Amino acid sequence: MSITRAKSLDSLYEECKDFDLVLVPDAPMASALNRRLDQPHFGPFAITPRRLAARRREQAEDRLAFLEIIETTDLNWKETSYAVGNILQCWEYQGTADAVLDYEQFATTATHTAVDHIADMDTTSKRLTEYSIDADTSVAVVGFEQFTELERSILPPDYETIDAFTEESFDYPPFRILDSPAAIVDVVLDTVTPENAGDVAVVLDAASQYSPLIESALEAADIPYYGGPGFTDDARHRAFIQLLRSAHAGRDTRVGDVRPLLTQLGMSIDIEHDEKRLFDLDRSEVDWLLEFRDEMHTSTFEEAIDAYEAVTDTTIDAFREELATLGLLNDHVTESAVDRLEFYLQSYEVPVDRENEGVLLADAKSAAHVDRTVVFYLGIDEGWTHSSPRRPWVDRDQEFERNIRQFQLLLQNGVDQYYLVQDTAGGTPVTPCLYFEELFDEEFDRFSDLDSLQHSRAFRPTQDGFESEPLDVSPEDVTTLSQSSLNTYVNSPRDYFFSRLVDNPDKEHFREGNLFHDFAEFYVSHPDVITKDTLDEVATVMLDEVDPFLRGVDREVRLTKYRVGLETIVEFLDANPPQSGGFRTPDSSWGENFFAEYYDRPIDSSTTERWFENTDLGLKGKIDLVHSPTRLLDYKSGSKKSAYSIVKHSALDPPSDKPNFQALLYLAHQRTERPGEELRFTFFHFLETLDDVVTGNGSLEDCLTTVTYYPVTYKGYITREDTFTELQEDAANDCNKTFSQVEYEEYLAFLDRHEFPETTDKGELMESSFARLLTEQMKQSVGDYKYVKNGCKQALRYLLRIRKRNYFSGDVDAFEQFVKDRRSELNDRRAGDERFPVQGLGGDPNYRYVDNRDCILEGESR
């Protein structure tokens, strides 16, 4: 099967021009045929059955019936809407107003009441039911299969049917694949101008992201269009609804949740406050909103509109009129009244006055005919598939046939058709509209499996754009990178770029973490100030500082969490007091400390919060605690990571999907101060045992993860006699048994002759020639026993675990070169040699760790 070719409008006109009356399934086709009349015609020529019977422009009778019934009955709004929808739909498919009462499950009291009222109303459906065409009128019906039972009921005994399709297949144009919705919109904007806008139509799923994108793009280019935004799309109307809703939303509403409302109200709040509770925000900018919230419970909708118009210096007369129509204007703004209003606006399309000129935006699920020369089809994905009503009066097979015929007609509008699609979105194939499965014989999963052309994005030249002033200034090179900047850059250079430009809101966990860090630093300097009793005070102070981010129900739980975290920090520092390490730092007074200010005591420790900037290596950072000359410590409030995980996620070739170079970066700097020494970096996860502490079973050791740097190569480490002794004593049983029967010199000679594989994959190591040769060597020395073969496997696993849980000189050397390369690459990009790509060294970024997600388009790589 294939797409059946539709007859051209000129061809249809030739077939039906001699008839007195031509009934067509939709208004755009009627208008197109009427424009082709070449001689005067008495009365209507081409027309839809509804327009013919009503003798007026078609109205949304579901909305009108709803308004009538809520005004004249006691039915609530939701049951009214449900009943009206069923009555009108069943009427359309069965031909009578009371047909719905034949279905027992739908014949409710509310439905009986609604049927009685609708039957008496002057609706288009009622006029259609009562209308009949004069038997003397010659009638042609175009696309008879598209008509419903109610529409067919007006036909005279004798009429001609004209098929809208030919016997031929439609040679559809190729699908033009672009990499993003923005690129698709750009293609449309490359073609349309204010002068040719009247010749262009855009067909799309009105509920998709294409709708706001194309509307905003056309507005920005000053290109007229119609058929797009509705009543609730008006920014003023949306803001007013959000204003009403926010006033009833409770005290946990966040600033970020109502930022569009704040913008519309002209209230400028810094983005740093986005995650704080709005109604506890101590900012003068929101005073009006807080006052409105307090007063609204005694205000009417009309008074709320007056207040909104006064503060925004705008008018929303259309909204005022609609509230009057609903009978809400003089009602108090209760939460239930706002719920009803929102339900109404979500359920019904409020009519708006439009200028019918410019580009036509047509909904793919409503239109079948678009009489424009050039037609763009955007997306054509599964969102274009109709959902057939799941009601017993609907023949779903017949409905599917009706929809697929409409789809075929839709795809052939215009002289030139352009199918603009995406093949993937966010790395996932885009599913073409499900009707294609019925129309195409070939198997396919995505658009690229069909006749298609791949297009790169063509960037449109802007007009004036933002004002710019050329500066004769060379870009300043980045000389040092912090661990957070390096992590971000490796995951996604584009995210790193935006992190230098875009502010992000304060985060609850950042505020918590900073307070815990400040406490730990303060306690090292002033352990005498903090007692068991004062920890309750400290926990309460922390809670008050974090409170703007919390829900009210979270306070007690957080207080327990803070108290346990503080006790764990105190317990560790009491049991393991830091030793002066002589850590060199260019600045001994790094930042401010909350608790130093709170207790009015200075911080004078030489071991806490030590800043370093190593320009030779291109590294910088801040050490939480120099625990000893050879041990650094970092406080972590998150969940504990193993040494294996820490080393794994600091991999360089290729980088991990969760790159984290903190331990490696700090150890690289530390070895410049303690060359040739064994160094340790410890992560202290002071909340790891929270649940255990509450039950009385906490252990400090469960909070600590340490990775060690050995100032030798990995090969140098495993050739040490100490490592050989571990294989004899500390490894698994068969390994101990095997290697205790050979001498260290034999082990060393074997490693001198054979290079340990570079792999960190256990399977590859076990299959390597090194593993085979080691096993052969041990069998010769110990005997051909089963435990010897198993003992060699255990030895290899033991040696591999050492590699995967520690750092060696070669690892740090490679990291230093890695940083040098990244810094050079970064400075080239800053100089404009190339764009900052979205993809990092490991390919697509891990979006869970992207901070500026809204600034990065899905599927974009450059």
Side-chain angles (χ1 to χ4, degrees):
M1 188 176 177
S2 61
I3 300 175
T4 305
R5 178 175 289 279
K7 294 176 181 176
S8 69
L9 288 169
D10 290 334
S11 174
L12 285 175
Y13 175 73
E14 288 300 320
E15 288 190 58
C16 63
K17 67 179 182 179
D18 294 329
F19 287 88
D20 297 329
L21 181 66
V22 181
L23 296 180
V24 296
D26 58 38
M29 176 186 281
S31 298
L33 292 174
N34 287 329
R35 283 194 293 270
R36 286 164 170 78
L37 280 172
D38 54 8
Q39 56 185 353
H41 189 279
F42 179 75
F45 172 60
I47 195 169
T48 65
R50 286 184 166 273
R51 186 69 178 273
L52 176 66
R55 296 296 182 179
R56 64 190 179 197
R57 185 180 297 275
E58 293 178 41
Q59 298 176 312
E61 59 184 358
D62 56 346
R63 171 177 168 270
L64 297 177
F66 170 83
L67 293 174
E68 171 72 18
I69 292 173
I70 64 170
E71 183 180 357
T72 57
T73 74
D74 294 329
L75 297 179
N76 69 52
W77 287 23
K78 286 191 176 180
E79 67 180 346
T80 296
S81 178
Y82 180 74
V84 166
N86 287 330
I87 293 167
L88 293 178
Q89 187 186 82
C90 187
W91 196 348
E92 191 72 41
Y93 284 91
Q94 299 298 318
T96 60
D98 59 356
V100 68
L101 300 178
D102 295 336
Y103 301 91
E104 183 177 353
Q105 66 269 41
F106 295 96
T108 64
T109 302
T111 304
H112 276 276
T113 301
V115 165
D116 291 340
H117 281 76
I118 291 177
D120 292 335
M121 290 178 60
D122 182 21
T123 62
T124 302
S125 292
K126 181 180 180 181
R127 291 193 179 193
L128 198 58
T129 304
E130 299 172 347
Y131 189 84
S132 61
I133 299 174
D134 192 329
D136 295 334
T137 305
S138 61
V139 178
V141 181
V142 178
F144 177 81
E145 296 83 355
Q146 302 301 109
F147 287 75
T148 66
E149 287 301 318
L150 182 57
E151 290 170 329
R152 294 175 185 177
S153 69
I154 71 169
L155 296 176
D158 296 319
Y159 57 87
E160 289 286 337
T161 59
I162 298 177
D163 197 341
F165 294 95
T166 68
E167 298 296 325
E168 304 171 1
S169 62
F170 173 60
D171 187 15
Y172 66 91
F175 295 99
R176 299 178 182 272
I177 298 174
L178 292 105
D179 59 7
S180 69
I184 288 175
V185 171
D186 277 347
V187 170
V188 178
L189 268 291
D190 281 339
T191 304
V192 66
T193 66
E195 291 71 31
N196 67 14
D199 299 323
V200 177
V202 175
V203 183
L204 43 71
D205 173 11
S208 71
Q209 60 184 320
Y210 293 104
S211 185
L213 282 175
I214 192 67
E215 290 164 13
S216 59
L218 292 172
E219 286 180 7
D222 289 327
I223 296 173
Y225 68 93
Y226 69 98
F231 182 85
T232 55
D233 294 315
D234 188 303
R236 299 166 302 164
H237 297 172
R238 289 200 308 268
F240 180 68
I241 286 292
Q242 192 174 23
L243 174 64
L244 301 181
R245 176 55 68 199
S246 67
H248 287 291
R251 304 196 67 87
D252 291 331
T253 302
R254 308 290 165 167
V255 172
D257 295 337
V258 294
R259 180 161 292 281
L261 168 62
L262 297 175
T263 301
Q264 193 71 23
L265 296 177
M267 299 175 183
S268 178
I269 303 295
D270 291 341
I271 194 172
E272 66 181 87
H273 301 293
D274 266 17
E275 297 197 4
K276 297 177 182 177
R277 293 195 308 268
L278 170 67
F279 295 110
D280 291 305
L281 190 66
D282 186 17
R283 306 283 297 183
S284 60
E285 295 91 335
V286 298
D287 286 349
W288 180 89
L289 190 57
L290 300 181
E291 292 173 5
F292 178 86
R293 177 183 183 272
D294 293 337
E295 297 173 358
M296 193 184 68
H297 301 281
T298 58
S299 301
T300 65
F301 279 95
E302 184 166 30
E303 289 169 339
I305 288 179
D306 291 339
Y308 173 80
E309 290 180 335
V311 76
T312 59
D313 194 25
T314 59
T315 59
I316 50 173
D317 291 337
F319 208 111
R320 190 188 300 270
E321 292 171 6
E322 197 62 24
L323 286 172
T325 301
L326 288 168
L328 287 178
L329 194 59
N330 296 315
D331 287 1
H332 283 95
V333 188
T334 62
E335 186 170 9
S336 61
V338 175
D339 287 341
R340 293 199 304 274
L341 174 60
E342 279 197 308
F343 169 77
Y344 168 75
L345 294 175
Q346 291 167 3
S347 302
Y348 300 103
E349 184 65 38
V350 179
V352 295
D353 293 329
R354 302 182 188 275
E355 294 291 336
N356 292 341
E357 60 179 28
V359 176
L360 171 62
L361 303 184
D363 184 3
K365 293 182 180 179
S366 300
H369 295 276
V370 180
D371 188 23
R372 293 295 174 94
T373 305
V374 178
V375 183
F376 292 97
Y377 300 82
L378 310 190
I380 325 183
D381 51 29
E382 55 188 341
W384 283 43
T385 309
H386 292 259
S387 297
S388 296
R390 294 180 177 273
R391 292 291 187 268
W393 50 78
V394 177
D395 184 329
R396 300 192 67 190
D397 291 337
Q398 187 181 67
E399 185 70 9
F400 177 80
E401 289 300 322
R402 180 182 289 120
N403 290 334
I404 202 169
R405 287 173 65 87
Q406 177 177 315
F407 180 70
Q408 292 180 83
L409 291 169
L410 180 63
L411 292 180
Q412 301 178 53
N413 281 278
V415 176
D416 297 313
Q417 304 94 15
Y418 296 95
Y419 300 165
L420 308 180
V421 300
Q422 278 185 275
D423 202 39
T424 60
T428 302
V430 171
T431 303
C433 179
L434 301 185
Y435 297 132
F436 287 125
E437 294 182 4
E438 186 76 15
L439 296 174
F440 295 154
D441 294 329
E442 58 201 292
E443 292 187 2
F444 60 90
D445 295 313
R446 55 208 294 177
F447 286 108
S448 58
D449 296 334
L450 299 166
D451 181 16
S452 58
L453 296 173
Q454 191 80 37
H455 291 268
S456 59
R457 182 174 183 178
F459 289 91
R460 293 181 289 108
T462 60
Q463 296 176 355
D464 296 334
F466 294 107
E467 292 184 6
S468 61
E469 180 180 345
L471 299 175
D472 187 17
V473 177
S474 299
E476 183 177 329
D477 282 352
V478 172
T479 58
T480 55
L481 289 168
S482 67
Q483 60 95 8
S484 59
S485 293
L486 183 60
N487 295 342
T488 301
Y489 182 79
V490 170
N491 184 45
S492 172
R494 184 74 60 83
D495 186 40
Y496 167 85
F497 170 74
F498 281 117
S499 72
R500 320 307 291 177
L501 301 176
V502 179
D503 290 330
N504 285 305
D506 285 348
K507 300 284 187 180
E508 167 193 329
H509 59 275
F510 288 158
R511 180 69 66 88
E512 282 184 352
N514 289 338
L515 288 168
F516 275 120
H517 279 69
D518 284 357
F519 172 80
E521 181 187 21
F522 180 80
Y523 187 75
V524 169
S525 292
H526 303 286
D528 55 307
V529 175
I530 303 299
T531 66
K532 189 171 184 179
D533 293 334
T534 58
L535 284 181
D536 287 330
E537 176 188 352
V538 172
T540 301
V541 169
M542 288 180 60
L543 183 63
D544 291 341
E545 286 297 305
V546 181
D547 184 65
F549 297 93
L550 304 179
R551 299 176 303 167
V553 296
D554 295 332
R555 286 182 58 86
E556 290 301 319
V557 174
R558 291 301 177 93
L559 190 61
T560 300
K561 171 184 173 181
Y562 297 161
R563 177 61 193 254
V564 170
L566 295 170
E567 288 176 346
T568 305
I569 291 172
V570 167
E571 181 183 359
F572 174 80
L573 292 174
D574 286 348
N576 305 275
Q579 307 167 27
S580 178
F583 187 86
R584 295 193 297 274
T585 176
D587 183 1
S588 60
S589 57
W590 167 262
E592 298 177 350
N593 183 290
F594 176 84
F595 291 100
E597 294 183 7
Y598 182 79
Y599 286 106
D600 194 21
R601 292 176 181 251
I603 300 293
D604 53 9
S605 171
S606 62
T607 62
T608 58
E609 302 294 317
R610 309 309 291 169
W611 170 259
F612 71 86
E613 189 162 0
N614 191 324
T615 54
D616 292 335
L617 297 181
L619 303 174
K620 63 182 177 183
K622 183 178 67 172
I623 306 295
D624 288 348
L625 179 66
V626 182
H627 195 260
S628 74
T630 58
R631 184 187 190 187
L632 307 178
L633 183 138
D634 193 76
Y635 299 104
K636 294 291 184 186
S637 57
S639 58
K640 183 181 176 182
K641 306 293 189 298
S642 66
Y644 166 78
S645 175
I646 291 166
V647 173
K648 174 185 176 182
H649 293 302
S650 63
L652 305 177
D653 187 22
S656 161
D657 65 341
K658 296 187 287 186
N660 192 328
F661 302 105
Q662 182 179 11
L664 190 53
L665 185 149
Y666 288 8
L667 288 169
H669 170 71
Q670 179 73 340
R671 79 167 181 172
T672 65
E673 299 203 342
R674 316 290 299 193
E677 296 188 45
E678 189 175 296
L679 307 172
R680 288 178 172 78
F681 191 95
T682 296
F683 292 95
F684 178 24
H685 296 269
F686 51 84
L687 293 173
E688 180 65 22
T689 56
L690 176 61
D691 294 339
D692 294 331
V693 169
V694 171
T695 58
N697 299 313
S699 170
L700 275 178
E701 286 303 312
D702 293 336
C703 298
L704 303 173
T705 298
T706 298
V707 289
T708 303
Y709 164 73
Y710 295 100
V712 294
T713 63
Y714 173 68
K715 180 177 180 180
Y717 182 87
I718 64 175
T719 57
R720 297 191 318 180
E721 189 168 0
D722 289 347
T723 306
F724 178 70
T725 302
E726 291 173 16
L727 294 177
Q728 293 178 315
E729 300 175 358
D730 299 334
N733 291 338
D734 287 346
C735 177
N736 296 344
K737 185 176 180 181
T738 299
F739 283 84
S740 63
Q741 300 181 60
V742 297
E743 299 297 325
Y744 169 65
E745 287 73 21
E746 182 179 350
Y747 170 78
L748 182 62
F750 178 83
L751 291 179
D752 284 341
R753 293 194 307 272
H754 304 289
E755 193 71 26
F756 195 94
E758 287 295 325
T759 183
T760 57
D761 181 85
K762 182 173 67 175
E764 290 182 9
L765 178 60
M766 295 303 174
E767 297 296 325
S768 67
S769 60
F770 181 90
R772 177 177 54 79
L773 292 170
L774 177 64
T775 304
E776 292 174 357
Q777 178 70 38
M778 292 299 105
K779 284 182 177 180
Q780 291 178 10
S781 301
V782 180
D784 190 2
Y785 302 112
K786 183 177 181 180
Y787 76 83
V788 173
K789 180 178 179 181
N790 192 47
C792 289
K793 289 183 178 179
Q794 292 174 350
L796 291 171
R797 285 197 290 266
Y798 187 85
L799 295 176
L800 188 61
R801 281 197 295 273
I802 292 173
R803 166 172 277 184
K804 295 167 76 171
R805 287 167 170 77
N806 302 280
Y807 295 117
F808 302 92
S809 60
D811 300 322
V812 181
D813 291 343
F815 176 70
E816 290 177 359
Q817 183 60 47
F818 178 82
V819 171
K820 182 179 179 181
D821 293 342
R822 300 288 74 71
R823 196 156 46 91
S824 174
E825 178 183 81
L826 169 60
N827 286 321
D828 287 344
R829 287 167 175 164
R830 282 170 57 87
D833 292 351
E834 62 173 299
R835 297 180 71 201
F836 282 79
V838 172
Q839 293 182 339
L841 293 175
D844 287 336
N846 185 335
Y847 283 106
R848 290 180 59 195
Y849 300 94
V850 167
D851 291 325
N852 302 284
R853 184 67 185 86
D854 292 344
C855 298
I856 300 175
L857 296 175
E858 266 189 18
E860 187 179 10
S861 61
R862 298 298 299 170

